């Protein structure tokens, strides 16, 4: 059966099944979405629409306080700078065989492949970094995120899009891998015709496209393992992952595609056993954020009553301005002939009892949920470099398990897929002989990873420094301790701690050969010096002997 023949056919059973599948996955997270909606209203107003039929139908909530939003944005910026800062080389590709990875040709190939893959993330090729800050903000607030990746061959670009959790549902297996994705999105009829082709739309949707307009209609996208996959087959059946687009109007399939790798990635901050969706710092801050919002609203209402109280009048004819009091204007009828006030403010302001200290306390709790005191060092005085480094290490220790999950669920699949895309495009040359059957590992060199490696480098330097006083006490024991130090391992540790490329160091065997040659040259030079010195002694002896003979010598003497 040709899969393309069913495109645009209305009441397709597969289309109905996919729409029903969306409803099933959506209903499983009803409780989560109620919290997500509150989080969006208080901490991330851009991401609403969890409790509406479509995200495009949601109205943006008007938050009353900016400080909680700033705390969330500050934390997400810290994650961004710690893990994928574009100013740093945040990962390396290494051979899974440690010894093979140290081989000179393999080291050079690893560095070259790492640079090629890293360049594929730059703005001229991909919008990875701009969409990355959106992803980390979603993780910070909701504890969940979703991103889509696709190579646009005609444009010679790679598309990275961070999607709202309101328009996507996914299924994750026990290994943390995404195995099914359902996405619901709304587009106009004209956009649908451009995206899927006019002839692939059902008749009802073609009428919408012909009429034009700004009305949007729901479409669905399902990506899951291809049960009919056939290796080497051309077309959707030759892809490991199937992709089906469905139009709700007419319940028709409008496109069938496929992918060699799962194009969606889902990163989570913290996940409890048995749950699909995770939680983040925003979930911890949510109770205080709710209280802070209510306190802010109550104090604002109380202040408004005090500043603009309700006015009391005996009747509507006693006030010429019909209840409007304007600064600088005269109110005729405001006093009677005896000078008594005919207007009086309603005295119903007794204060809320909510002090600014109570409100500040809730704000402090929100900030601490986002590690404000550890991440926000800008503008703080009296902090030395050592103390700042210790605070950085403290923050990384607190975030270590969560950063590890983000690297495992988001960055590792992203880098692996990007490598595969570059490899298929012929951008990466083959590895040296013997490297085809050896796997590659991702080693992170981000700020978080480099902070840990820097600690190892500092420890190595301190060990060497600690040996100095020992030499003053016992030279023999100091030499014995120095003999225990592997100089090659020491140098390699320092290079890795400083973030240097592995190709910076030559192979140990080459260094050993150079040292042996240098020792041989030094030995030859010493022998030559000895020979020259010996020749000079013989010459001096010969000269002395000749002088003695000319003078008669001590034995011959003069008569």
């Amino acid at each position: 059966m040709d899969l393309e023949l069913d495109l645009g056919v209305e009441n397709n059973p597969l289309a109905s099944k996919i729409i029903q599948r969306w409803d099933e996955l959506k209903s499983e997270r009803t409780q989560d979405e109620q919290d997500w909606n509150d989080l969006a209203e208080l901490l991330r107003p851009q991401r609403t629409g969890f409790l509406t039929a479509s995200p495009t139908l949601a109205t943006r909530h008007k938050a009353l306080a900016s400080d909680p939003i700033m705390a969330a944005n500050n934390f997400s910026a810290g994650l961004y700078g710690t893990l994928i800062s574009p100013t740093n080389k945040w990962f390396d590709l290494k051979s899974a065989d440690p010894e093979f990875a140290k081989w000179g040709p393999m080291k050079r190939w690893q560095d070259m492949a790492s640079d090629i893959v890293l360049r594929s993330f730059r703005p001229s090729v991909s919008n990875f970094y701009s969409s990355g800050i959106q992803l980390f903000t979603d993780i910070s607030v909701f504890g969940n995120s979703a991103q889509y990746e696709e190579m646009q061959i005609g444009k010679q670009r790679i598309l990275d899009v961070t999607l709202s959790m309101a328009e996507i549902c996914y299924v994750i297996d026990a290994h943390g891998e995404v195995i099914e994705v359902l996405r619901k999105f709304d587009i106009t009829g004209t956009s649908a015709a451009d995206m899927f082709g006019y002839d692939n739309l059902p008749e009802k949707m073609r009428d919408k496209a012909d009429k034009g307009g700004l009305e949007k209609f729901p479409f669905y996208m399902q990506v899951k393992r291809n049960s009919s996959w056939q290796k080497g087959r051309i077309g959707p059946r030759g892809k490991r992952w199937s992709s089906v687009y469905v139009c709700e109007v007419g319940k028709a399939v409008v496109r069938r595609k496929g992918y060699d790798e799962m194009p969606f990635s889902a990163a989570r901050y913290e996940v409890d056993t048995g749950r699909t969706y995770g939680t983040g710092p925003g979930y911890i801050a949510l109770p205080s954020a709710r209280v802070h919002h209510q306190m802010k609203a109550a104090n604002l209402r109380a202040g408004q009553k005090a500043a603009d109280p309700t006015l009391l009048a005996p009747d509507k004819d006693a006030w010429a301005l019909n209840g409007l009091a304007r600064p600088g204007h005269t109110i005729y009828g405001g006093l009677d002939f005896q000078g008594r006030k005919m207007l009086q403010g309603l005295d119903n302001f007794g204060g809320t009892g909510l002090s600014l200290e109570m409100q500040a306390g809730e704000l402090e709790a929100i900030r601490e949920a986002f590690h404000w005191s550890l991440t926000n060092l800008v503008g703080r005085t009296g902090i030395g470099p050592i103390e700042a480094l210790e605070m950085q290490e403290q923050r990384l220790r607190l975030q270590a398990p969560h950063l590890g999950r983000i690297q495992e669920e988001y960055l590792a699949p992203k880098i692996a897929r990007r490598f595969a895309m570059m490899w298929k495009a012929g951008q990466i040359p083959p590895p040296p002989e013997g490297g085809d059957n050896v796997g590659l590992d991702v080693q992170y060199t981000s700020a978080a990873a480099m902070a840990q490696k820097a600690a190892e480098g500092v420890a190595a330097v301190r060990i060497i420094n600690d040996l100095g006083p020992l030499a003053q006490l016992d030279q023999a024991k100091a030499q014995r301790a120095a003999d225990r130090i592997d100089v090659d391992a020491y140098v390699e540790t320092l290079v890795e701690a400083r973030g240097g490329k592995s190709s910076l160091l030559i192979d140990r065997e080459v260094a050993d050969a150079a040292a042996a040659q240098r020792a041989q040259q030094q030995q030859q030079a010493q022998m030559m010096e000895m020979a020259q010195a010996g020749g000079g002694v013989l010459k001096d002896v010969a000269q002395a002997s000749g002088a003695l003979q000319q003078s008669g010598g001590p034995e011959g003497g003069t008569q």
Side-chain angles (χ1 to χ4, degrees), residues 256-311:
R256 289 181 181 269
K257 292 178 60 178
Y259 301 93
D260 293 318
E261 302 88 17
M262 167 58 79
F264 287 92
S265 56
R268 300 169 294 174
Y269 192 81
E270 181 179 359
V271 185
D272 292 331
T273 303
R275 295 187 60 86
T276 300
Y277 299 98
T279 58
Y283 186 80
I284 301 174
L286 182 56
S288 293
R290 287 172 174 148
V291 174
H292 181 268
H293 178 82
Q294 296 296 335
M295 285 183 173
K296 188 87 171 181
N299 283 330
L300 286 175
R301 288 194 299 269
Q304 183 182 19
K305 289 180 180 179
D308 189 15
T310 302
L311 296 179

Side-chain angles (χ1 to χ4, degrees), residues 220-532:
Y220 299 82
M221 176 187 185
Q222 183 189 52
V223 178
K224 66 176 185 177
R225 294 191 184 276
N226 191 354
S227 58
S228 60
W229 173 61
Q230 298 176 7
K231 186 177 181 180
R233 184 75 177 267
I234 298 177
R237 281 202 176 99
K239 303 295 183 180
R240 293 179 179 271
W241 299 87
S242 67
S243 171
V244 180
Y245 286 85
V246 169
C247 175
E248 186 175 279
V249 177
K251 293 183 173 57
V253 175
V254 295
R255 175 182 290 174
R256 289 181 181 269
K257 292 178 60 178
Y259 301 93
D260 293 318
E261 302 88 17
M262 167 58 79
F264 287 92
S265 56
R268 300 169 294 174
Y269 192 81
E270 181 179 359
V271 185
D272 292 331
T273 303
R275 295 187 60 86
T276 300
Y277 299 98
T279 58
Y283 186 80
I284 301 174
L286 182 56
S288 293
R290 287 172 174 148
V291 174
H292 181 268
H293 178 82
Q294 296 296 335
M295 285 183 173
K296 188 87 171 181
N299 283 330
L300 286 175
R301 288 194 299 269
Q304 183 182 19
K305 289 180 180 179
D308 189 15
T310 302
L311 296 179
L312 304 178
D315 56 67
K316 61 182 180 181
D317 295 329
W319 194 356
L321 294 181
N322 295 325
L324 295 179
R326 298 174 181 173
H329 284 95
T330 301
I331 299 178
Y332 295 99
L335 295 175
D336 62 10
F337 291 104
Q338 286 77 27
R340 293 174 299 185
K341 294 181 180 179
M342 302 300 293
L343 302 175
Q344 184 177 355
L346 177 62
D347 186 11
N348 65 341
F349 176 71
T352 62
L354 301 175
S355 64
L356 295 179
E357 289 77 9
M358 295 174 62
Q359 189 172 321
E362 296 297 335
L363 179 58
E364 185 66 20
I366 296 171
R367 288 177 169 177
E368 285 308 306
F370 290 105
H371 304 284
W372 179 273
S373 60
L374 292 177
T375 58
N376 192 23
L377 299 179
V378 180
R380 296 182 61 177
T381 59
I383 298 180
I386 301 299
E387 185 178 359
L389 179 60
E390 291 176 349
M391 296 182 69
Q392 174 78 354
E393 292 178 355
Q394 169 98 5
R395 180 174 67 87
L396 294 177
R397 281 196 299 269
L398 293 174
Q399 297 179 356
H402 312 299
L403 297 180
R405 178 180 290 277
I406 295 174
Q407 290 174 337
E408 177 185 354
E409 294 185 347
Y410 171 58
L411 295 180
K414 172 72 71 173
I415 296 171
R417 175 167 165 77
R418 192 60 61 92
F419 177 87
M421 295 168 70
M422 294 293 101
W423 178 268
K424 292 175 185 176
Q427 299 296 315
I428 301 177
E433 184 178 356
D436 296 334
N437 299 324
V438 180
L440 288 177
D441 290 335
V442 178
Q443 292 188 0
Y444 298 101
T445 56
S446 61
M450 292 310 300
Q452 182 179 1
K453 292 180 180 180
E456 296 175 358
V458 171
V461 173
R462 286 177 177 174
I463 291 173
I464 298 299
N465 293 337
D466 291 342
L467 297 180
L470 183 61
Q472 300 177 2
L473 299 176
D474 192 323
Q475 187 66 35
K477 291 183 178 179
Q479 183 61 46
R480 166 64 177 157
D483 293 339
R484 294 285 305 280
I485 301 297
D486 187 337
V487 178
D488 289 327
Y490 178 76
V491 174
E492 292 169 358
T493 299
L494 292 182
V495 171
E496 188 174 4
R498 294 292 186 268
K501 293 184 177 181
S502 58
S503 58
L504 179 65
L505 298 177
I506 63 175
D507 295 343
R508 291 190 178 191
E509 293 76 8
V510 176
D512 291 339
Q517 183 179 5
R518 184 167 57 253
Q520 183 179 5
Q521 292 175 350
Q522 292 176 352
Q523 184 179 8
Q524 291 175 354
Q526 291 176 355
M527 294 177 62
M528 184 174 295
E529 290 178 359
M530 293 177 60
Q532 292 176 352

